[in-house]
Amino acid sequence: MSERLKDLTIIEKKRWELLSLEILVLSFLTATVIILSLLEQKYLTLFFLILLTTLFSAYIINKQRELKKLDAELTEEQLRNIEEKMRTASLQERLKEVTILYRVGRITVSSLTLQKKLDKMLFLASGIVKAHRASIMLINERMGNFIVAASIGIDVDIIRAHPQRVDEGVAGWVCENRSPLILSGRINDDRFHNFREKHEDIFSSICLPIKLKGKVIGVLNLSYLNEIEGVFNEHDLRLLSIFSRYISTTIEHTQNSLKKQMVHA
């Protein structure tokens, strides 16, 4: 049994003792009054009533103070336990994040193909923030639109059939302004040129630019479809910014490897 349960048991036991004593004293007072009334001892009856009432009231007040003290101690202990649990959970969450980022770093320098690297990175990014949908969209400079390099929870065939231009929607704004964006609820914003309504309502979304040597080469998108997971916040933004940089490094590393292969060919 935990300390908290022991404290609750003690308080409950004292409350029952107090109630039992109250019933006993009231019963005794009632019997005393009846007996003394029958004996016609009015002053003696009044004296006993005042004496017992005073003693009983003092006892009740004392016990109530003890119960309040126990309640206060229990509340303080609960608060300490809650704070300790929050600190432990926070440390565990940070350890999990560091572990995932380490895995992403390993993927960056691995011998996997670029496609597999991006798929694995997106999987880890969506997992760390528990996103329902995610995508990495890279800019096709020749065609002037985005290509979906990796995705989770998205119908890629629809996107490929109607590719988004680099100056359209939220992704276009992020690329043009070279800065990330967090959005919540239904989007109705004049900033986004030719914004396309999604087939599903998005509760919260985040879009980050992917930069390579100072140039925006694409975006990282993640979204929640309901409010269970909450909304994206500044911590998520800082965390996903690291993923964005890793994606950029991965693309650069792949490009350098291809160049070396062409030189030695």
Side-chain angles (χ1 to χ4, degrees), residues 47-62:
F47 172 76
F48 271 103
L49 283 173
I50 293 173
L51 177 62
L52 290 173
T53 301
T54 302
L55 291 173
F56 182 66
S57 298
Y59 178 81
I60 293 294
I61 291 171
N62 182 56

Side-chain angles (χ1 to χ4, degrees), residues 166-178:
V166 294
D167 60 346
E168 293 179 337
V170 176
W173 186 94
V174 168
C175 285
E176 182 180 352
N177 290 272
R178 304 168 57 82

Side-chain angles (χ1 to χ4, degrees), residues 212-213 248-264:
L212 179 59
K213 297 179 179 179
S248 173
T249 303
T250 299
I251 294 172
E252 183 179 20
H253 182 267
T254 303
Q255 289 177 346
N256 292 337
S257 295
L258 289 173
K259 288 177 181 178
K260 288 179 181 178
Q261 290 175 14
M262 291 176 66
V263 169
H264 294 290

Side-chain angles (χ1 to χ4, degrees), residues 54-77:
T54 302
L55 291 173
F56 182 66
S57 298
Y59 178 81
I60 293 294
I61 291 171
N62 182 56
K63 288 300 178 182
Q64 286 293 345
R65 285 176 178 173
E66 289 182 5
L67 289 175
K68 283 184 178 180
K69 183 179 178 181
L70 280 172
D71 279 332
E73 290 175 353
L74 179 58
T75 302
E76 290 176 3
E77 182 64 26

